[in-house]
């Protein structure tokens, strides 16, 4: 059964949606962001992420730790064009 920790209170039960909770193993914090990493076909990874686990790489553009690592390898410190679904490197 999914549980989420919201404002100091635990909520558990079928009413708790899976995307309310951070998708990282062992983390039950409220998700505030979704991973914006494009995975093809116009879709993004969409892993729910709490404040702590979301890696901000642009305005309103967040990545899960796995994709953040991939992204940093690709971008090599360059800036990105933060259009969801269209992760483009700005030369
Ligand atoms: Zn988390
Ligand atoms: Zn991701």
């Amino acid at each position: 059964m999914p549980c989420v920790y919201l404002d100091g209170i635990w909520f558990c039960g079928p009413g708790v949606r899976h995307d309310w909770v951070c998708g990282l193993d062992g983390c039950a914090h409220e998700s505030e962001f979704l991973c914006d990493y494009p995975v093809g076909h116009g879709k993004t990874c969409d892993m729910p992420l709490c404040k702590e686990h979301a890696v901000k790489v642009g305005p309103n553009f967040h990545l899960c730790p796995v994709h953040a690592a991939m992204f940093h390898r690709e971008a090599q410190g360059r800036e990105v064009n933060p259009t969801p679904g269209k992760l483009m490197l700005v030369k």
Side-chain angles (χ1 to χ4, degrees), residues 22-91:
C22 177
L24 256 89
D25 274 353
C27 183
H29 285 113
E30 169 194 7
S31 74
E32 300 203 12
F33 308 102
L34 296 176
C35 176
D36 294 309
Y37 195 88
V39 291
H41 305 286
K43 290 194 182 132
T44 53
C45 165
D46 279 352
M47 183 193 218
L49 298 162
C50 68
K51 236 185 277 174
E52 217 174 296
H53 286 127
V55 182
K56 193 174 182 206
V57 294
N60 206 17
F61 198 92
H62 298 85
L63 299 176
C64 65
V66 172
H67 282 133
M70 282 168 64
F71 168 78
H72 284 303
R73 214 178 304 140
E74 250 171 74
Q76 294 175 346
R78 283 177 290 175
E79 296 278 298
V80 288
N81 173 4
T83 309
K86 281 188 216 149
L87 188 66
M88 278 166 36
L89 298 175
V90 179
K91 302 244 160 94

